[in-house]
Coordinates of all heavy atoms in Angstrom, one line a residue:
M1343 N 17.9 3.7 -16.4 CA 17.1 3.9 -15.2 C 17.4 2.7 -14.2 O 17.5 1.6 -14.6 CB 15.6 3.8 -15.6 CG 14.7 3.9 -14.4 SD 12.9 3.6 -14.8 CE 12.5 4.9 -15.9
E1344 N 17.5 3.1 -13.0 CA 17.7 2.1 -11.9 C 16.5 1.2 -11.8 O 15.4 1.6 -11.8 CB 18.0 2.8 -10.6 CG 18.3 1.8 -9.5 CD 18.5 2.6 -8.2 OE1 18.6 3.8 -8.2 OE2 18.5 1.9 -7.1
C1363 N 1.8 -8.4 -10.1 CA 0.5 -9.0 -10.6 C -0.3 -8.0 -11.4 O -1.4 -8.2 -11.8 CB -0.3 -9.6 -9.5 SG -0.9 -8.4 -8.3
C1371 N -2.1 12.6 -1.3 CA -2.5 13.4 -0.2 C -3.9 13.9 -0.5 O -4.1 14.5 -1.5 CB -1.6 14.5 0.2 SG -2.0 15.4 1.7
A1375 N -10.6 20.8 2.7 CA -10.4 22.2 3.2 C -11.7 22.8 3.8 O -11.5 23.7 4.7 CB -9.9 23.1 2.0
P1379 N -10.5 22.6 11.7 CA -9.5 22.8 10.7 C -9.6 21.9 9.6 O -10.2 20.8 9.7 CB -8.2 22.6 11.5 CG -8.6 21.6 12.5 CD -10.1 21.9 12.9
E1406 N -1.4 7.0 11.1 CA -1.7 5.6 10.6 C -0.8 5.3 9.4 O -0.3 4.2 9.2 CB -3.2 5.6 10.1 CG -4.1 5.6 11.3 CD -5.6 5.9 10.9 OE1 -5.8 6.4 9.7 OE2 -6.5 5.6 11.7
R1408 N 2.2 6.5 8.9 CA 3.6 6.1 9.4 C 3.6 4.7 10.0 O 4.6 4.0 9.8 CB 4.0 7.1 10.5 CG 4.4 8.5 9.9 CD 4.9 9.4 11.0 NE 5.0 10.8 10.5 CZ 4.0 11.7 10.6 NH1 2.9 11.5 11.3 NH2 4.2 12.9 10.1
A1411 N 3.7 2.3 7.1 CA 5.0 2.3 6.5 C 6.0 1.5 7.3 O 6.8 0.7 6.8 CB 5.5 3.8 6.4
L1413 N 5.2 -1.0 9.3 CA 4.9 -2.4 9.2 C 5.4 -3.0 7.8 O 5.9 -4.1 7.7 CB 3.4 -2.6 9.3 CG 2.8 -2.5 10.7 CD1 1.3 -2.5 10.7 CD2 3.3 -3.6 11.6
E1428 N 4.8 -17.1 9.6 CA 3.8 -17.8 10.3 C 2.5 -17.1 10.1 O 2.4 -15.9 10.4 CB 4.1 -17.9 11.8 CG 5.4 -18.7 12.2 CD 6.6 -17.8 12.0 OE1 6.5 -16.6 12.1 OE2 7.7 -18.4 11.8
P1431 N -4.5 -17.1 11.7 CA -5.9 -17.2 11.2 C -6.6 -15.8 11.4 O -6.4 -15.1 12.4 CB -6.5 -18.2 12.1 CG -5.3 -19.0 12.6 CD -4.2 -18.0 12.7

Side-chain angles (χ1 to χ4, degrees):
M1343 175 190 297
E1344 181 183 346
C1363 66
C1371 184
E1406 291 166 341
R1408 285 184 191 95
L1413 289 170
E1428 299 80 27

